[in-house]
Structures are given as structure tokens and as C-alpha cells.
Amino acid sequence: MIQTLEWTDSGVRFVDQTKLPTEEIYVTSKTYQQVADAIRTMIVRGAPAIGVAAAMGIALGVRDSKAETVAELEKEFNDICEVIGQTRPTAVNLFWAIQRMREKFERLRVRPVSQIKQELTEEAKRMHAEDIAANQAMGNHGATLMPSAGGVLTHCNAGALATAGYGTALGVIRAAVAQGKKIHVYADETRPFLQGARLTAWELMKDGIPTTVISDNMAGAMMRQGKIGAIVVGADRIAANGDVANKIGTYTVAVLAKENNIPFYVAAPISTVDLACPDGSKIPIEQRNTREVSHIAGKQMVPDGVSIENPAFDVTPAKYVSAIVTERGIALAPYEESLRSLAGADVQVQV
Amino acid sequence: MIQTLEWTDSGVRFVDQTKLPTEEIYVTSKTYQQVADAIRTMIVRGAPAIGVAAAMGIALGVRDSKAETVAELEKEFNDICEVIGQTRPTAVNLFWAIQRMREKFERLRVRPVSQIKQELTEEAKRMHAEDIAANQAMGNHGATLMPSAGGVLTHCNAGALATAGYGTALGVIRAAVAQGKKIHVYADETRPFLQGARLTAWELMKDGIPTTVISDNMAGAMMRQGKIGAIVVGADRIAANGDVANKIGTYTVAVLAKENNIPFYVAAPISTVDLACPDGSKIPIEQRNTREVSHIAGKQMVPDGVSIENPAFDVTPAKYVSAIVTERGIALAPYEESLRSLAGADVQVQV
């Protein structure tokens, strides 16, 4: 079992995803500021994992607070949420997690400080466990959509490493494989951060699921050659109308899928659905440091003075999305209705 | 003026394209075997440049032959052509250049060995000069297709570095800029060899043409955001029906262009058109070493044991191609007719 992140007495322990696949190194963030840094520098990444990391970071900050009254603690709590909330703008799970911790705090404010600290820690650990359970439920729903055999393409890493465990898109693939489906995964390397080459390939190798890594610009050729029977990706935020923000390049994969009559599926927990966001044009897109594009493994690949763009995400319009797999079931178009119905359903995931 | 390759008394001098953009190093291939190595290892690359390099390699091998009779020389000539012809399979310009040298040899076989050597050298140098002239003619034709201002996307490097000089796709852009058009180039970095990031950006910077480098998977987002008014790429082989083999990822760019109603142009000399090849399915696609994908700047990016594909080219069906720009004019669909008409026309390009 891959331990993407876990709560320990000394802090939040992460596998350092910037070092994989050649080095499997674990680092412990001992303060909430260190958790914020881990999110910002992508030691931990992937929308659901960012959400859980945020909750754990808040719990850590609260636990270590010197506040003696609830009023003092609340002030610190707000400061902590502010710092955590400014790490990455696109993944809505970050804000969902902060909001959930905030609501928990509200319900606990009549309790003593020590109990608030304890229960916020429990809440963060619960969110970790719930995320794994949600991914397993998602996997079981989504596995029915996978072909019985053949190539399935994924982009970026929406696996155990992007979540508390099991994965969203890779959870769907894992569940399909567990059901006996003979799937060969094609993993886009996913420039500039190479999550596909480094992370998706690494965790699928651990599970013995056959995997081929390709550069992003090969996906079209693979589809045209008939090697890909389905596509499944994760999401960082899904608007109310079904528009999907996900890793840069997802839109391209979706357009290629449509052109080649290949189903394009998105797998994400309900916490990724942002009903307050009417459509994809309202989703903030993070621009990251251009050095991620210009330098690879420390080597300069772009001449000095050239402009570089580095949007971390793009938006895939809902019309390209064949289905959205959540832990509560599969949403089909029109997504405005199906997502609201699933999100509104007060279904409890069993942990 | 960028000297991609040139004939010198001591051999064929190349700018080493594997070292750009951080190092501008020139290497001289002193034997035809060294020229073959330079082509194979991509010290020189780009279909038209490969063609000229092949001709110069043959001329070099013939010049250094110890043969005393034409019969002996012919045997060596055939051996040289065999070695040069086995370097890279997709770019038809390689075979076009060999064929042209072979025809020249045929016409010269009644002459003394010394004259054959001299005239084959002259022929190779003439092909170098003709290629530049063809690119300038191509540029003037193609410039009319470029928008008066705004973003133009290109993939890989179809510039001065892919030719004897001036470039095919970048020749079109250079000519448009020379006409006063305000073009901003978006250069796909073009994994795995990064010709866009390393080479296209480098030569456009030298010319002062504004350039933004993006990773390949960002092109779709840029198109969807309305930043791209036209696309122009080169070609390694164009089938009789207008199907275009070009750097891997070109098909993806073409599909995205169609989806976003952006014209997609191909610029290539007539020597790139292979009328003997009925359609793209008959074009051999070179598979290169998987290490080009798995390792970047010497660093391993893919875990051990994972499969990798590395096709160097893909085929873009003619239906996605808005026009093919050649030195003899612009071909429009149906390409079966327009290409045959242009290729058959015995137009001499002025040098």
C-alpha cells in the first residue's frame, strides 16, 4: 500500500513526489507552514491528496497552538486556514477541506480547547480514511465503464499518489483489473512535471499493472492506431455544468478522444464538484514557475530571453466528457442535473 | 545567417543540434560514415537538411575514394549510398537526395573519375544552394497565408536548422515578418528531443522574432483561448494523397486546429512529396531509442521495467491540412491532383 500522506505524532508524513521514481524518500512536515510548503512545492499533489493534506495541516497547526481560550484558538485557526488556502488555487478540494474543518470548528466552539484540538485531528484522519473509501467506491462504479481488455490512456497522475490512497482514475483502473479485465495502461508522461512518467508508471508497476509511458504528443497517434479503448483522468475542479479543470493537456486528450470515437471519462470525488462555479471559465487556473518548462533535471532547454507559458491546468468543456465517475455513482450529461443530484444526495460513504 | 551544414575542404561541417541552445558547437564529419553518424544521432536533423547532408556525405565518400576506374568508383558509390540510406527511414528527402546523386552519377559515367568526383561535389553544393532558394520561394508563397498579426503555432523545428537555411515552416514565418506582419510564434517544445524548445526558439531569438515556448500539451489550451491564428509545420514525407508524415505530435496539433477552426498549413519542398507513396499508411515510421523518452538530460524519469514507445513521427491525414506550401506554389485539396500538378511541373528554382 502506497502511503501518500499520513498523520503521525511528529507531523504529516509525505512520500516526496518530486523525488520519485528513482528515490522513494519520506519527509515529515512538522508545522502547518511546512505542510503549506509541501503542497506548494508539490511534494504532495493531486486534488484529493491536497485536500487531505490541507486538513492535516490545519489539525497540526491547531494542535501545536499555544492558545488558552477558544477565541485565541479561533484567531490562530483563521490564520492557519489563510496560509493553507494560498498554496494552490485550482484544486477545489483544498477549499472544500478548509471549509469542512471550519464547520467542524464551529460545531466544537462550545468545547474546551483541548477537545477542539483532539477532534480536529480526528476529523483530518477521518477525511483521509473517507478519501480511500470514496476511491474504492468510485473504482467499483467506474470499472463497469472500462473495456474488458486493451489499452486505457490516462493523463497526469490520478492515482494513489494523488489521493489518500487507491486513486481516482487509477482507482477505476485498479478496480477493473481486480475484476479480471486485461487492461494495459498508456500513461502520458505529462510535461512539465512528468507526473505520468514518474508517478503513474511507478505506482502501476508496484501493482503489476502493465504500463507504457509515452510523451504527451504521442497520445493522438496511439488513439489513431486503435491502441486506446478508453480514457480515464482525474479532475482538480468540476464546474456545475460538467466542465472539468484538470492537468494541462487534458483538453487535448479529450479532443483527440472525440475525434477518434473513444470514450473520455473523468473520475473524481464529489468534493471536486464545485456547484458554486457555473462553468469552466470561472475556474482560476494556476500559472506556475516558467522554470518547470525551461529546465529539466537542472538543465536549461530553452534559450535565454524566450517567453514561456506554464498554466498548470486547462478546462475540458463538458461536451467532451462521456461520464463523470464519483463515489456516489456515475453522472451523465446533462451534468447540470446529474451532478447536482449526486452532490445534493446526502449519501454517507462507509469507512 | 545560421550555418546548419556546409561543405568544407576537410568535410561536412555541422552545427551540433544536440548541444543547442546552451552550446553552439560546430563539428566536421570527415568521412561519409561520420556524415551517416551525424544524421543518425541527430547532430543534423530535419528532412531537407538530411537530404543535403546525404548528398554531401555521398560527395565526400566519392571524393575520398581510391578507385581508379569508373567501375570501381561505382561500386564504392553504391556502398556509400547504402550506408547513407540506412540512417533514417521516414524523411523521403534522404532517398530523394540519394536518387538525385545516383542520376548525376549515371550521366557522368562516361567521364574520367576525377571529373565525376568534382561534379558530384558541385551537385551536392548546388542542392544546398537550391534548398535555401526553395525555402525563400516557399516563404513568399506561404507568407500570404499568415495572419497580419497574432499568434502562429509551430511544432518541432522546421527552420533554418532543419534545412540548408531559412527554413520551411519558419521560412514562411520569416517571410511574413519581413512583409511587416506582426507575428508572435508559439513553439511546442516537442518531446522527446525538444526541437521546439531548443532549436526553434534559438533561431527565432537570433532573428528577433517574438517567441513563446510551451510544452506540447499546452497547445490545445492556447488554441482554445484564441491565442493562435494559424499553424504552420514542416513535413518529413507527404504522400500522393496529401497525408503528411511529420514529427510526432503533428497529428494532435492538426486535430486541435480543426476543432478550433484554425487553419493548419504544411510547408515543405517538392522533394518531400513522395508520389510513389499513395497514402500515409505506407510511410515507414521510425521508432527511436526509448531512452530519449525515459531519460532527460541524463536523468531517469521513468521507473525501471515500464514499457515505452518512441515513434519519431506520426501521420496527419490530408483532411486536416488546409494547404501545402511548396517552392512552386500552394497546393490545395484535392491534393492528389494539386501535388501531382506541382511535382510534375518542371519549374526550375533560380539559385
Side-chain angles (χ1 to χ4, degrees), chain B residues 195-279:
Chain B
Q195 293 95 332
R198 297 191 304 106
L199 309 179
T200 294
W202 182 78
E203 64 168 274
L204 291 177
M205 282 297 287
K206 283 213 164 196
D207 278 7
I209 298 174
T211 304
T212 295
V213 169
I214 56 176
S215 62
D216 300 288
N217 58 18
M218 293 173 193
M222 298 298 136
M223 291 188 213
R224 193 161 167 268
Q225 288 165 26
K227 292 181 175 172
I228 310 296
I231 292 156
V232 58
V233 299
D236 288 80
R237 192 183 301 212
I238 301 174
N241 73 340
D243 289 354
V244 174
N246 191 45
K247 178 54 51 198
I248 187 74
T250 302
Y251 165 70
T252 290
V253 172
V255 168
L256 287 165
K258 177 194 167 203
E259 191 72 8
N260 287 280
N261 296 309
I262 298 167
F264 176 85
Y265 302 118
V266 174
I270 282 294
S271 56
T272 304
V273 178
D274 182 6
L275 292 179
C277 184
D279 64 63

Side-chain angles (χ1 to χ4, degrees), chain B residues 64-105:
Chain B
D64 295 343
S65 165
K66 300 275 185 290
E68 292 182 358
T69 68
V70 172
E72 285 170 19
L73 188 63
E74 183 169 21
K75 186 174 173 309
E76 279 197 52
F77 177 89
N78 288 333
D79 291 346
I80 294 164
C81 290
E82 177 77 10
V83 169
I84 297 279
Q86 284 177 354
T87 50
R88 300 196 67 194
T90 302
V92 76
N93 312 60
L94 176 71
F95 308 103
W96 168 87
I98 293 170
Q99 183 58 23
R100 179 160 156 177
M101 293 297 274
R102 196 180 291 283
E103 287 167 9
K104 187 73 182 177
F105 189 97

Side-chain angles (χ1 to χ4, degrees), chain A residues 12-30:
Chain A
V12 187
R13 185 168 177 268
F14 300 102
V15 59
D16 185 347
Q17 301 196 30
T18 66
K19 299 290 193 298
L20 292 172
T22 47
E23 298 171 85
E24 186 174 341
I25 293 171
Y26 291 82
V27 294
T28 299
S29 295
K30 295 188 167 63

Side-chain angles (χ1 to χ4, degrees), chain A residues 189 191 197-198 205 211-213 217 220 224 227 249 251 258-260 296 301 303-304 306-307 309 315 320, chain B residues 189 191 197-198 205 211-213 217 220 224 227 249 251 258-260 301 303-304 306-307 309 315 320:
Chain A
E189 66 174 8
R191 279 279 291 146
R198 298 191 303 105
M205 283 296 288
T211 304
T212 295
V213 170
N217 57 19
R224 193 161 167 269
K227 292 180 175 173
Y251 165 71
K258 176 194 166 204
E259 191 73 7
N260 287 280
I296 311 181
M301 297 298 183
D304 291 328
V306 168
S307 300
E309 295 226 24
V315 173
Y320 298 102
Chain B
E189 66 174 10
R191 279 281 289 147
R198 297 191 304 106
M205 282 297 287
T211 304
T212 295
V213 169
N217 58 18
R224 193 161 167 268
K227 292 181 175 172
Y251 165 70
K258 177 194 167 203
E259 191 72 8
N260 287 280
M301 297 299 183
D304 291 327
V306 168
S307 301
E309 295 225 25
V315 172
Y320 298 103

